[in-house]
Amino acid sequence: GQQVMQIPQYQHVQEGEDFTTYCNSSTTLSNIQWYKQRPGGHPVFLIQLVKSGEVKKQKRLTFQFGEAKKNSSLHITATQTTDVGTYFCALSGGSNYKLTFGKGTLLTVNP
Amino acid sequence: EPEVTQTPSHQVTQMGQEVILRCVPISNHLYFYWYRQILGQKVEFLVSFYNNEISEKSEIFDDQFSVERPDGSNFTLKIRSTKLEDSAMYFCASSITRDEQYFGPGTRLTVT
């Protein structure tokens, strides 16, 4: 089945710095979803991207889907301590839209 | 806001014992899932369930696993004879469309 590679595995930033995580695939993706998991918590849906070149914004978060639909990124502007957690990209596919997760990027923020 | 609930939050069991993990999906959702996450690793798909039957299962979901929706609300995952490597966080999720899945808080299973 389709897999996604997610980088970096870890990212430590000072509060106020920007953060970006990348998701890459060797095959064309029909869609990609992003989830956030706080430490000790459960995955929480952030967004779904479907269209080639799509860019969506949620406050300080910017999500992009590549033109070839083989990569995606999540960018956080001016990180805050509340942004701490693991950010996962995930593919929705199969007969009932099962999710295939990337390995995630753990973001820590130094206040 | 509706939530997926899971019980228990933590289950400790001895190797070889049977466990049942319980979930109450969001009431109007149609698709139900179980995932697991070994500590520090990614979330892995186990099984999806729709229209009262399994629609897809992963390689992890072997004969020791089973799922049921015994009534209109509960969705259970049974592990018949637990192994040490079954220790993980188990998440139930539900969805009404392909756009997003709602995850429960998880059950931490510890097999000793």
Side-chain angles (χ1 to χ4, degrees):
Chain A
Q2 286 187 314
Q3 300 289 328
V4 283
M5 297 292 295
Q6 197 172 348
I7 54 170
Q9 193 173 357
Y10 307 99
Q11 183 81 61
H12 178 75
V13 300
Q14 290 292 126
E15 190 171 22
E17 291 181 339
D18 291 357
F19 159 76
T20 305
T21 174
Y22 301 89
C23 208
N24 299 299
S25 170
S26 57
T27 59
T28 303
L29 306 171
S30 59
N31 65 79
I32 195 154
Q33 297 183 11
W34 287 91
Y35 288 78
K36 177 184 179 181
Q37 185 177 29
R38 293 183 188 275
H42 58 277
V44 174
F45 175 81
L46 294 176
I47 208 133
Q48 176 169 267
L49 305 172
V50 177
K51 298 177 183 175
S52 167
E54 191 169 15
V55 178
K56 288 188 176 180
K57 293 192 175 185
Q58 292 178 350
K59 298 182 180 178
R60 294 178 295 105
L61 277 60
T62 302
F63 304 85
Q64 291 191 339
F65 203 9
E67 292 289 341
K69 299 180 72 173
K70 289 185 175 182
N71 56 76
S72 181
S73 64
L74 158 60
H75 179 82
I76 303 177
T77 304
T79 54
Q80 300 174 358
T81 54
T82 53
D83 295 325
V84 163
T86 302
Y87 293 84
F88 292 97
C89 60
L91 313 179
S92 171
S95 56
N96 280 318
Y97 316 126
K98 70 171 187 188
L99 293 175
T100 301
F101 282 83
K103 290 189 174 181
T105 297
L106 172 60
L107 171 64
T108 54
V109 180
N110 201 32
Chain B
E1 186 174 328
E3 292 180 334
V4 176
T5 60
Q6 289 187 244
T7 54
S9 57
H10 191 189
Q11 175 86 53
V12 181
T13 189
Q14 288 191 327
M15 198 166 50
Q17 296 296 304
E18 175 182 288
V19 294
I20 297 176
L21 311 182
R22 302 180 193 281
C23 169
V24 179
I26 295 173
S27 61
N28 63 336
H29 284 191
L30 303 174
Y31 304 94
F32 312 112
Y33 311 86
W34 283 101
Y35 295 87
R36 78 171 187 191
Q37 186 178 33
I38 294 170
L39 187 63
Q41 298 188 22
K42 68 176 181 179
V43 179
E44 299 176 290
F45 168 76
L46 292 177
V47 65
S48 59
F49 194 86
Y50 171 73
N51 203 23
N52 286 319
E53 61 182 20
I54 291 174
S55 48
E56 189 168 354
K57 56 186 180 180
S58 72
E59 293 174 353
I60 303 168
F61 195 88
D62 61 22
D63 291 344
Q64 67 164 337
F65 291 91
S66 62
V67 289
E68 273 191 339
R69 189 156 159 82
D71 52 41
S73 58
N74 290 286
F75 181 48
T76 63
L77 174 68
K78 182 191 290 186
I79 310 176
R80 257 179 283 283
S81 178
T82 49
K83 301 178 245 183
L84 293 176
E85 54 265 36
D86 294 328
S87 295
M89 182 72 90
Y90 287 81
F91 292 108
C92 172
S94 68
S95 68
I96 195 166
T97 70
R98 63 180 294 175
D99 289 342
E100 63 183 287
Q101 292 186 17
Y102 292 81
F103 283 75
T107 294
R108 179 165 297 285
L109 177 65
T110 303
V111 182
T112 62

